[in-house]
Amino acid sequence: MASSDPNNRPRPGPWPPAAESAAMPPTTWAKKTGFRPKFSGETNASDSGQIGIQQQSTRRRESDTNLDLEAGRVRPRQEKVNGETTGEKDKPPVRKRRDSDGGGVAKSTNGQAVGTTATAEPAAAATTAPAAQQPARRVSRNEEVLDVLPQIVDDDGFMSRHSHMKYELRDTPGLVPIGLYGFQHYLSILGSLILIPLVIVPAMGGNYEDTSNVVSTVLLMSGVTTLLHTSFGSRLPLIQGPSFVYLAPALAIINSPEFLALKGNKFKHIMKELQGALIISSAFQVILGYSGLMSVLVRLINPVVVAPTVAAVGLSFYSYGFPQIGTCLEIGAVQILLVIFFSLYLRKISVLGHRVFLIYAVPLGLAITWAVAFLLTAVGVYSYTGCDVNAPVSHIISDHCRENIPKMKHCRVDALHALGSAPWFRFPYPLQWGMPVFHWKMALVMCVVSIISSVDSVGSYHASSLLVASRPPTPGVLSRGIGLEGLCSLLAGLWGTGTGSSTLTENVHTIAVTKMGSRRAIELGACVLIVLSLIGKVGGFIASIPDVIVAGLLCFMWTMLTALGLSNLRYSEAGSSRNIIIVGLSLFLSLSIPAYFQQYGITPKSNLHVPSYFQPYVVASHGPIRTNFGGLNYILNTLFSLHMVIAFLVAVILDNTVPGSRQERGVYVWSDPETAKREPAVAKDYGLPFRVGKLFRWVKWVGL
């Protein structure tokens, strides 16, 4: 029986009574409150965009309350009739991109970006109630970016959407803009295209003529493979070229024990060995992609795996960088300082709307340092009486010459000699160095490296698709791209570039900085590369770059590669103790374990005929694994001395065995194949041209 005492009666609650609501799911509270962490996988994982998941959650989002927690008021509900939103008569007319699926940029009649589907609701919630009563005003550039981007964007343009891109994937603004932006894109990535031949050809005993011919071959293969990839691969605007992933194993093969004592034409013999290894490994990559195995392997590849693997590729060359620069410090130090000054201190300076110092930091630093070295050579600073730079070391008797010959080799710019040995026109042809030589031990090393190259490309596909495409590619498109990269490496092996062809990781940074994602611009630039490859003097001119300048540029390129690899962590929860331990352990062991293999069995007088910066790649002759099978010793000692292999093995095992949520791991979200087929924009982004896709409808695992 209830008590009649008024003091014991229950006090009435607030009026009107608050409606009971279900507990908010933990994965949506940040979206409701507007919280957007910079390093959390909440925003990034949701923005990486699987179409099927977004459509399944549409009904739940529509049933949620329209309360704007930031503004403290109820958001006006908009009714939809036949898929069109009513009540927007007060807004200015908006012209959307043709065939857009909502991921593109909506433009007003004056061409200014006004919003995207991903940010339409937050933008509407931030406006005041009577929008029609507010006077129209011109939106500044900074406000435009803040309106359209779904998350925080740094000054280099990294983001999860392409809303502020000048040109997106299928845009064709005209021949002149396409030509200018294509030239800009290739010029900014020049170092990645030309520097690898300048390292491996001298290491193989090649001269200026050999270096010139390999550079021309690399330019031809880069142009051809880029056209193939943008047409029949992933179809993303990604330049293909000699990858740094293949540089370390190529140097390991070059410094194999059986090649160190070779006499005569050492260059052609080693090049044929590299060709044979690349041809077999590229065939393995073709099978990996076109068989659909890559669609299975990609389930194990996440940002926590990609980040340390790619970073280890850049960190692995620390023994080559500054030891080479130290041979001519007055040139090499200036080279590094110029690139740092342009890319960091002058990065926000714009000329005609282009941040020229940030975009062209590498070519500007190269041009200035090259000119200084040329002038110093011309005035005789690096000329010493009685000393011949081309004379064998064993024939040099004078102590004066022995002391100054290294400076002459690394600092001088012998442009006339390099240009004189190069013909005006030369067409690189397949098997130009002779028939390839096949050895199974070298081929197996390259097969493992092709897997690392595929992991690198997975990260590049995902990051670039968020910048320029309507949605990330499907697993089938990803497999198709990896398979075509295998075909491109096969062509590189037949033509003899010395390294395999792959997607250049620096593409992502270049696209984000230049804000140019047009596929046509990349294709036009590829055609220009093919034309330049036929002019032999171009290769000869590039071959005259001094070794110390090459080392200075490579220090910056490897730094960028390391940073771009670690930037993949922005798709995961970088502050998670799980991820911190996995990434840190992967990086540390990737440096420590190879150091053990590289230093094992070395005596002070061993390998004196090999330069100090190539000592880590002679591990096959003195490694700790010594069984009765010489080939097995070569494979294991070489693989465990490669930093990227150790980083990949440690990261992929730990990331897939240590418990962690999908949000914490930042699992890559790819587009659903069945849903993507019904999206016109996705079909046009990734569909094969010339009705080729219809011929392969039965190949479900390499299409949309």
Side-chain angles (χ1 to χ4, degrees), residues 327-348:
T327 59
C328 187
L329 198 59
E330 64 271 21
I331 298 296
V334 171
Q335 171 72 75
I336 292 181
L337 291 176
L338 280 176
V339 176
I340 292 175
F341 186 71
F342 290 150
S343 60
L344 293 179
Y345 294 98
L346 302 181
R347 72 185 190 278
K348 293 187 178 181

Side-chain angles (χ1 to χ4, degrees), residues 64 173 187 283 316 328 336 338 357 433 475 643:
D64 289 338
L187 189 61
S316 61
C328 187
I336 292 181
L338 280 176
F357 294 104
W433 316 117
H643 303 75

Side-chain angles (χ1 to χ4, degrees), residues 85-120:
T85 303
T86 60
E88 298 198 13
K89 298 180 180 179
D90 299 328
K91 293 186 177 181
V94 175
R95 184 179 72 251
K96 294 185 178 180
R97 173 180 170 179
R98 184 176 56 185
D99 296 329
S100 174
D101 64 334
V105 181
K107 296 182 178 180
S108 62
T109 54
N110 61 0
Q112 298 292 330
V114 296
T116 62
T117 301
T119 56

Side-chain angles (χ1 to χ4, degrees), residues 281-332:
S281 66
S282 59
F284 170 76
Q285 192 174 15
V286 169
I287 297 174
L288 182 67
Y290 286 121
S291 67
L293 291 176
M294 195 61 202
S295 299
V296 179
L297 180 63
V298 77
R299 300 174 186 175
L300 306 177
I301 301 173
N302 297 309
V304 180
V305 177
V306 175
T309 302
V310 179
V313 175
L315 293 175
S316 61
F317 299 104
Y318 67 91
S319 63
Y320 182 88
F322 210 84
Q324 273 278 61
I325 295 175
T327 59
C328 187
L329 198 59
E330 64 271 21
I331 298 296

Side-chain angles (χ1 to χ4, degrees), residues 200-207 210 251 253-274 433 609-611 614:
I200 64 173
V201 175
M204 289 188 285
N207 52 28
D210 297 327
L251 291 175
I253 293 176
I254 291 171
N255 291 280
S256 297
E258 52 265 46
F259 302 148
L260 294 178
L262 284 179
K263 304 293 183 181
N265 198 341
K266 179 180 176 181
F267 165 74
K268 287 189 176 180
H269 183 85
I270 299 179
M271 178 61 81
K272 291 187 289 186
E273 296 277 355
L274 287 174
W433 316 117
H609 51 284
V610 178
F614 285 149

Side-chain angles (χ1 to χ4, degrees), residues 20 30 59 89 108 140 194 222 258 278 314 331 334 392 436 459 475 530 539 542 588 599 613-614 621 624 699-700:
E20 296 183 0
R59 182 176 301 176
K89 298 180 180 179
S108 62
S140 65
I194 66 172
S222 179
E258 52 265 46
L278 286 173
I331 298 296
V334 171
I530 294 175
I542 295 175
F588 178 79
Q599 298 171 10
Y613 44 82
F614 285 149
S621 61
V699 191
K700 302 291 185 181

Side-chain angles (χ1 to χ4, degrees), residues 336-499:
I336 292 181
L337 291 176
L338 280 176
V339 176
I340 292 175
F341 186 71
F342 290 150
S343 60
L344 293 179
Y345 294 98
L346 302 181
R347 72 185 190 278
K348 293 187 178 181
I349 296 179
S350 298
V351 178
L352 300 178
H354 300 276
R355 291 191 284 180
V356 292
F357 294 104
L358 177 61
I359 298 173
Y360 305 122
V362 170
L364 281 176
L366 170 62
I368 295 174
T369 313
W370 199 355
V372 171
F374 179 81
L375 292 176
L376 293 177
T377 304
V379 299
V381 174
Y382 302 120
S383 298
Y384 300 93
T385 306
C387 301
D388 184 9
V389 69
N390 296 317
V393 179
S394 58
H395 295 175
I396 301 175
I397 303 176
S398 171
D399 293 337
H400 172 71
C401 290
R402 287 184 177 180
E403 180 181 353
N404 294 302
I405 282 295
K407 185 175 287 291
M408 295 176 65
K409 286 184 176 181
H410 293 91
C411 300
R412 289 176 58 87
V413 179
D414 294 322
L416 296 179
H417 179 62
L419 290 174
S421 61
W424 274 104
F425 298 100
R426 181 182 182 275
F427 182 78
Y429 54 92
L431 305 180
Q432 55 188 327
W433 316 117
M435 289 299 298
V437 178
F438 300 94
H439 283 100
W440 67 274
K441 60 181 182 180
M442 299 176 185
L444 286 179
V445 170
M446 281 296 186
C447 287
V448 176
V449 174
S450 67
I451 298 178
I452 307 296
S453 174
S454 302
V455 173
D456 183 11
S457 297
V458 167
S460 298
Y461 290 174
H462 187 268
S464 60
S465 67
L466 296 181
L467 290 171
V468 302
S470 56
R471 292 287 187 273
T474 64
V477 172
L478 187 145
S479 297
R480 188 179 70 199
I482 297 300
L484 190 69
E485 284 191 14
L487 289 177
C488 294
S489 292
L490 179 63
L491 295 178
L494 291 174
W495 261 258
T497 61
T499 59

